[in-house]
Each structure stands twice: as structure tokens, then as C-alpha cells.
Amino acid sequence: MTKPTLTRDDVAHLAHLARLQLSDQELDVYVGQLSVILDSVATVSTVADTPGVEPTSHAVPLTNVYRDDVIRPGLTNEAALAAAPAAEDGRFRVPQILGEEQ
């Protein structure tokens, strides 16, 4: 299996998608760090199934420790909005956070 190669442009593109502004120095650092991560994943991906060993997601068995769901009355719409800094048409009013490009 060929190890993945990551370029500075790849990291810049990922930063753009994540809405991160990175300096040239940060891009250079992250190219190395992300390359190590991708190389490690590629190495792990080459491991074949081991006969007689069941695949697991946890080292020890898990037990559900959550209580049963019980329906209980919640807040009314008015009570929930009573402490809100802004409300409009029976809903919380919040500032817009996404630009027009969405």
C-alpha cells in the first residue's frame, strides 16, 4: 500500500473548509503533523484479520448504565422564552452566523 502524500495546498484547502486562517508557518507545521497521522492510518489499514480473534470496538464489555426514559413535563414555550435575551414569533432569536455562500 502506498503511503498518502499530503501537500501544503491540501492543508490550505482543509483549513479553508474548516474556516481556519493559518499562517505560512502553521501550514508548514500542519503538513508534517497531518502527514504523520495519515501515514499511521495507512499503516494500521494494512493489518490483516487475525484468525480466531473477534473484532472489538472496546477492550472490555460495556454495560448500559443509563436509566430508563421516563416522560416528564418540560418547560412551556413561554417559560423557556422568559429568560431569553431575544425572542421573535415564539422562538429564540439568535444572530446569523453563516454567510451567503451556504
Side-chain angles (χ1 to χ4, degrees), residues 5-85:
T5 54
L6 193 64
T7 67
R8 195 171 188 275
D9 288 338
D10 294 330
V11 174
H13 180 68
L14 289 171
H16 173 74
L17 292 175
R19 297 177 185 258
L20 299 174
Q21 292 181 345
L22 300 178
S23 68
D24 289 339
Q25 182 181 3
E26 289 171 321
L27 285 172
D28 292 335
V29 168
Y30 290 136
V31 167
Q33 290 179 352
L34 292 172
S35 292
V36 168
I37 292 169
L38 289 177
D39 290 346
S40 298
V41 170
T43 300
V44 170
S45 297
T46 63
V47 175
D49 290 338
T50 305
V53 176
E54 291 294 320
T56 60
S57 61
H58 295 84
V60 296
L62 296 179
T63 303
N64 186 355
V65 294
Y66 298 108
R67 68 176 189 274
D68 290 334
D69 287 335
V70 177
I71 297 174
R72 295 186 292 180
L75 293 174
T76 64
N77 193 34
E78 294 78 21
L81 292 174

Side-chain angles (χ1 to χ4, degrees), residues 75-94:
L75 293 174
T76 64
N77 193 34
E78 294 78 21
L81 292 174
E88 184 177 298
D89 297 327
R91 300 182 199 146
F92 293 103
R93 179 169 171 76
V94 296

